[in-house]
Amino acid sequence: MNPALLPLPIVLPIVGAVLAPLLSRWSSRAPLLVSLLALGGASGILLLFAPGVYGGHLVGHAVGKVGPIAGRQLGITVTVEPFGLTYALLTALIGTLLLLYSLSELGGLGAHEAGWYACLAQLLLAAVIGTALTADLLNLFVWFEVAALASYGLSGFFLERPWALEATFKMMVLTNLAGFFVFVGTALLYSRHGALNLGQLQHALAGNLRTADLVALALLLAGFGTKAGLMPFHGWLADAHSAAPGPVSAMFSGLMVNLGVVAIARVALDVYAVHGTALPGILLVLGPVSAIAGAALALGQDDLKRLLAYDTVSQMGVLLTAVGAGSLTAVTGFVYHLIDHALFKTLLFLCAGAIVHATGMTRLSQMGGLARHRPLATAAFLLGTASIAGVPPLNGYASLGLIHDGLRADHPAAFVAVLLAQVLTVAALGRATYLAFFRRRDDDYDPLERRRPGALVAFGVLAAGCVAFGVLPRFVIDRIAAPAAAVLLDQNAYAAAALAGTARIHATTPSFEYLAPGELLIAVGCIVAGVLVCVWYVRRSSEPRVIALLRRLHTGSVNDYAAYSVTGLISCAAVLLAMR
């Protein structure tokens, strides 16, 4: 394939974003239709590169043909390699589904509103695809900011809701603070090394780390950790997800939040990992803390979308733990679980959005009996819950099994933490499933509108993805996850693609026995323990002290959340400097 086509998956959604408000003058459907064409085109171009890239061929393209001069890259480089291609394809394909869902579920929007909704959604998706494909740190910051700006408009899209404006304000303050962290970290690296290209930075940092480099690393970790919703940088996440429309919440949790952990993996493994810092230890603390605390907070929520948002915090913690472990098996599990999270969390948020849209209710305490009124949403929610719970043969079982294998021997404390988070996750989602769908409700619902075709297609495709990525683990590992892990762990190959425009990798497939008795026992044990915790929690009349304490720390004040973020940044910097 011609490398000059590489910018098109980013350009097409941007063109669609420009056209959407203009076309809304003629039709309220035209903006979303042009969005589908733009995202479909981006998906098609990415798929054309897939056979060669997953076969081990890395491709880079210097935008404007401004290539390296004397080993220094002066322009922006776009690369396509298995890890970035996987994230870009997920974004383009799932983004197309979400726009199709929006075309059905939000079809009652006026022409003006539909135009701007389609514009903002495409800008967000273009920024996420840009993040996946860029090999330039400043360009990574630019896409971070584009995603942030689009997300503000989407989070506060329904201006008549005061809580949507409050959520957008918190999101704006905290992600702007994160953007400042990323920008200053980028500036420090550029001022010291005169480099922004990730491959060039990898060469410049090798055996040459100074205080400024470690401070820059802490700033990048805090900035991208905010976008990922990692603790203690997560203060914006729950409010933004609960205030946004259903498909927007799905876009945030299934795609945008992953931007942060993808950027951390890129910086940690492709730029800094070979240079002996305390970063793996920091990730192996932040990850388990986020996983356990996020799942515990999810268990204590009454609002369905807030519950799913805190579960996203927990899942990001699991992913970060796998990155911190840094082994082939753990990183392969990280890539696999990144795919799985995009599938099952998008499905769960679409289910939640459909329920809120149909009933006008957000609190679990108000719901009940929805299994009788909404059998399709019930089945989809159950499948998504079972996927996260790691029930074989669904997708979560295989990806979690790889992460467990990567942690068990070398990082036993992190392994136990991930298992505890899994138990709490099963309990939280089991409680939500019971209260919303199966608990008896005395009064009946008002007549609920029928599901529209776009929603049926989105539910069906996402559910099929959860099943397919579960029953074909060997294919996913060998053809997708292992090549993506190989490029994260082979820094020289990635650097060659970012600088020379071409490189090859040879993926090593980790050993993984799908029906290993030990992993089956872990899966069954976590599910049984989670169900028992769920029953215990539902029968309690008061909230456990630990969860009550965690909830009290979440005051809702943006000042407190900003203080948590700054404290996290200072702590990361102190550890990196103290242990160099």
Side-chain angles (χ1 to χ4, degrees), residues 54 336 468-483 509:
Y54 287 120
Y336 201 152
F469 278 84
V471 299
L472 299 171
R474 201 70 261 172
F475 175 85
V476 177
I477 293 171
D478 293 347
R479 303 294 181 87
I480 301 173
T509 302

Side-chain angles (χ1 to χ4, degrees), residues 336 386-387 390-398 465-473 514-515 520:
Y336 201 152
S387 297
V391 175
L394 300 175
N395 55 354
Y397 170 77
C466 289
V467 174
F469 278 84
V471 299
L472 299 171
Y514 187 78
L515 295 177
L520 284 171

Side-chain angles (χ1 to χ4, degrees), residues 44-140:
I45 292 169
L46 290 169
L47 286 170
L48 289 176
F49 281 96
V53 169
Y54 287 120
H57 185 52
L58 282 57
V59 180
H61 173 68
V63 178
K65 297 184 179 179
V66 182
I69 299 174
R72 292 182 175 272
Q73 176 57 274
L74 304 179
I76 295 171
T77 302
V78 180
T79 62
V80 61
E81 36 72 33
F83 178 60
L85 179 61
T86 299
Y87 186 38
L89 269 173
L90 276 175
T91 302
L93 294 172
I94 294 178
T96 304
L97 272 181
L98 290 174
L99 286 167
L100 180 64
Y101 180 95
S102 302
L103 188 64
S104 285
E105 202 70 12
L106 302 179
L109 288 176
H112 180 75
E113 290 81 2
W116 285 108
Y117 174 87
C119 172
L120 292 168
Q122 287 180 96
L123 281 178
L124 177 58
L125 294 169
V128 176
I129 295 171
T131 298
L133 300 181
T134 188
D136 182 276
L137 192 56
L138 182 62
N139 200 231
L140 190 60

Side-chain angles (χ1 to χ4, degrees), residues 284 321-322 325 327 330 402-412 414-415 418:
L284 287 170
T321 304
S327 66
L402 280 166
I403 293 173
H404 295 161
D405 284 355
L407 295 174
R408 188 183 292 113
D410 297 326
H411 307 284
F415 172 63
V418 167

Side-chain angles (χ1 to χ4, degrees), residues 79-365:
T79 62
V80 61
E81 36 72 33
F83 178 60
L85 179 61
T86 299
Y87 186 38
L89 269 173
L90 276 175
T91 302
L93 294 172
I94 294 178
T96 304
L97 272 181
L98 290 174
L99 286 167
L100 180 64
Y101 180 95
S102 302
L103 188 64
S104 285
E105 202 70 12
L106 302 179
L109 288 176
H112 180 75
E113 290 81 2
W116 285 108
Y117 174 87
C119 172
L120 292 168
Q122 287 180 96
L123 281 178
L124 177 58
L125 294 169
V128 176
I129 295 171
T131 298
L133 300 181
T134 188
D136 182 276
L137 192 56
L138 182 62
N139 200 231
L140 190 60
F141 163 74
V142 169
W143 294 126
F144 180 100
E145 287 297 298
V146 173
L149 290 170
S151 67
Y152 304 153
L154 289 168
S155 180
F157 192 75
F158 292 116
L159 295 174
E160 69 276 10
R161 301 175 181 175
W163 61 89
L165 294 180
E166 180 186 353
T168 303
F169 175 74
K170 291 178 184 176
M171 188 182 194
M172 183 176 66
V173 170
L174 295 172
T175 55
N176 270 324
L177 182 63
F180 176 74
F181 292 162
V182 173
F183 181 75
V184 174
T186 302
L188 280 174
L189 289 173
Y190 183 70
S191 66
R192 178 159 148 67
H193 302 288
L196 293 170
N197 181 277
L198 296 181
Q200 191 177 333
L201 278 173
Q202 192 268 330
H203 292 319
L205 288 167
N208 190 29
L209 285 178
R210 297 290 185 267
T211 298
D213 301 320
L214 296 174
V215 172
L217 176 57
L219 286 161
L220 294 173
L221 178 59
F224 293 129
T226 300
K227 183 64 77 175
L230 296 166
M231 292 189 174
F233 311 106
H234 66 292
W236 64 275
L237 191 142
D239 286 349
H241 281 66
S242 59
V248 174
S249 299
M251 199 179 299
F252 283 179
S253 193
L255 301 174
M256 185 188 75
V257 169
N258 291 341
L259 183 157
V261 77
V262 164
I264 289 173
R266 182 73 80 198
V267 170
L269 298 176
D270 276 332
V271 179
Y272 274 93
V274 294
H275 309 312
T277 69
L279 180 59
I282 293 175
L283 300 184
L284 287 170
V285 172
L286 289 180
V289 168
S290 298
I292 294 172
L297 283 165
L299 182 59
Q301 299 302 310
D302 188 38
D303 185 286
L304 177 57
K305 290 175 77 175
R306 289 182 74 86
L307 184 153
L308 294 175
Y310 279 118
D311 181 69
T312 295
V313 174
S314 180
Q315 295 300 312
M316 291 301 106
V318 172
L319 288 169
L320 194 73
T321 304
V323 174
S327 66
L328 174 63
T329 303
V331 176
T332 303
F334 158 70
V335 176
Y336 201 152
H337 203 62
L338 186 76
I339 299 169
D340 291 348
H341 180 262
L343 291 169
F344 55 57
K345 190 53 65 68
T346 301
L347 178 61
L348 287 172
F349 263 109
L350 287 185
C351 292
I355 292 166
V356 173
H357 181 76
T359 66
M361 299 175 182
T362 62
R363 296 190 172 277
L364 294 169
S365 56

